Amino acid sequence: MRATLPLLLDTDFPPIRRRRLEALQVNLGYVCNQTCLHCHVNAGPTRTESMSGETVEHVLAYLAASGAATLDLTGGAPELNPHFRPLVARARAMGVKVIDRCNLTILEEPGQEDLAEFLAACQVEVVASLPCYTEELVDRQRGKGVYEKSVRGIRRLNELGYAREGSGLVLNLVYNPQGPSLPPAQAPLEADYKRILGETFGIAFNSLFTVANMPVQRFGSMLISKGQFNDYMQLLRGAHRDDNIAGVMCRTLVSVDWRGYVYDCDFNQMLGLPLRIAGKARPHLTDLVGRDVEGNSIVVRDHCYGCTAGQGSSCGGALG
Ligand code: SF4
Ligand code: SF4
């Protein structure tokens, strides 16, 4: 894999500071049942990195100490971490909203047959990637058979009440472009997804989040190999909108890696750019307890234009 960080260091991205902490986004490890082309954590079945029980305790302690209202779980496939279910149950018992960034195919993996029921029982919000509503494109990006399994996964969640009015169970989908282009407008694409998935399969979801591909990890490396890295950066920079800066996700979340080290966002985590606080070279969750991150300066590099280009992009979709 080609390193993208050296190409992102020299930046004129505006300086930004943190607001009040709202969410803790925790990467439970890189083990995944899939190997998607655009995976920015390079996850897959052969990865072994997985958060330990001790670090999970640190997560719960920081959740309690910081008062963060949301725990956003990601991976890899976060559900494959053996501590996933106890962590979810305990966070919910604390009144914390839990988001599971679920790849849908995991619902059919051996040993995960009751996962959908568990998520529904704990009222976990499910956010799932479905980069297109056509089978061909989804399978090209995420692997053969992924589309069919994803449709079955959504149907299963719908049967349990997800995306059904009055159930309180939320299922959101994520779209990202196939190549080095910006995502289309979120609202009309959401309407197309709803119509096509509804008419073809009778399945439903709440919202569609359109996100830009970040020029890091597997996608960034692919751009370098194809000689498209500079053009893509130019596209992102040229489409930068200052009014998106107010909503970039790093202002309200802290990202935690599988060992408990902290970053301003998931992308900085993948680039190995730690959150800067109290003069620590590589702060850990345990260093944050008792420290207020509000007002802290955020570590920005050129990839940040991926969050502010066009309609903007965050883990909750477009910013505009
Ligand atoms: S499902 Fe998600 S974590 Fe797993 S390989 Fe695909 S993008 Fe990466
Ligand atoms: S890449 Fe991370 S640090 Fe940069 S603007 Fe986006 S969320 Fe913030």
Side-chain angles (χ1 to χ4, degrees):
M1 178 137 59
R2 318 277 290 264
T4 49
L5 184 58
L7 303 174
L8 300 166
L9 291 176
D10 183 19
T11 189
D12 55 358
F13 192 83
I16 44 177
R17 288 189 179 276
R18 292 189 155 275
R19 295 203 305 258
R20 217 172 88 84
L21 181 69
E22 289 170 10
L24 205 55
Q25 190 172 68
V26 179
N27 190 315
L28 290 181
Y30 304 152
V31 187
C32 190
N33 56 318
Q34 290 186 198
T35 36
C36 307
L37 196 60
H38 290 176
C39 181
H40 69 276
V41 299
N42 211 6
T46 57
R47 301 296 295 259
T48 50
E49 301 88 339
S50 193
M51 186 175 276
S52 68
E54 188 188 352
T55 308
V56 165
E57 291 302 325
H58 292 316
V59 168
L60 285 161
Y62 184 65
L63 260 186
S66 66
T70 301
L71 174 65
D72 185 340
L73 297 173
T74 172
E79 307 88 349
L80 291 179
N81 182 299
H83 309 288
F84 173 81
R85 294 191 196 199
L87 171 61
V88 169
R90 286 170 67 189
R92 292 295 295 131
M94 289 161 62
V96 170
K97 169 179 164 177
V98 177
I99 298 174
D100 176 28
R101 294 194 180 260
C102 172
N103 67 23
L104 294 175
T105 63
I106 192 72
L107 299 172
E108 295 192 355
E109 283 291 298
Q112 301 293 340
E113 295 83 359
D114 58 347
L115 176 62
E117 281 83 359
F118 170 79
L119 296 172
C122 292
Q123 299 247 308
V124 173
E125 180 173 317
V126 175
V127 177
S129 185
L130 193 69
C132 194
Y133 45 68
T134 71
E135 181 166 359
E136 190 199 341
L137 288 181
V138 171
D139 283 6
R140 194 191 305 158
Q141 197 179 111
R142 295 178 70 80
K144 202 167 159 36
V146 166
Y147 185 78
E148 238 182 77
K149 278 192 189 175
S150 300
V151 167
R152 284 202 298 269
I154 296 173
R155 186 170 291 129
R156 176 102 199 79
L157 291 168
N158 286 163
E159 283 163 5
L160 291 165
Y162 274 93
R164 299 294 180 209
E165 223 178 305
S167 71
L169 294 172
V170 176
L171 166 63
N172 295 323
L173 299 184
V174 179
Y175 163 92
N176 66 288
Q178 301 287 313
S181 55
L182 290 176
Q186 186 166 274
L189 189 64
E190 177 182 288
D192 283 352
Y193 262 69
K194 285 198 165 159
R195 184 175 47 79
I196 290 166
L197 293 179
E199 282 172 4
T200 319
F201 305 107
I203 56 176
F205 64 95
N206 293 94
S207 301
L208 179 74
F209 301 153
T210 56
V211 300
N213 289 319
M214 293 303 257
V216 303
Q217 289 288 64
R218 217 175 265 174
F219 185 70
S221 172
M222 186 270 288
L223 290 177
I224 296 174
S225 306
K226 289 188 169 172
Q228 294 173 332
F229 190 87
N230 290 340
D231 287 349
Y232 188 60
M233 281 312 305
Q234 225 165 345
L235 172 75
L236 296 181
R237 252 190 247 110
H240 166 79
R241 278 180 26 201
D242 261 342
D243 49 351
N244 284 330
I245 287 179
V248 289
M249 60 189 180
C250 51
R251 304 192 73 176
T252 52
L253 73 75
V254 163
S255 162
V256 184
D257 74 12
W258 65 278
R259 283 164 301 186
Y261 293 106
V262 289
Y263 308 81
D264 285 309
C265 75
D266 203 27
F267 306 115
N268 285 10
Q269 179 182 146
M270 297 316 139
L271 286 166
L273 293 169
L275 185 148
R276 263 197 236 115
I277 197 155
K280 300 254 175 195
R282 199 184 184 204
H284 192 263
L285 256 185
T286 47
D287 295 315
L288 292 190
V289 178
R291 281 202 171 92
D292 190 359
V293 291
E294 192 170 351
N296 207 59
S297 144
I298 293 166
V299 177
V300 294
R301 295 291 183 267
D302 237 21
H303 64 295
C304 294
Y305 284 110
C307 292
T308 57
Q311 61 190 337
S313 180
S314 76
C315 50
L319 301 172

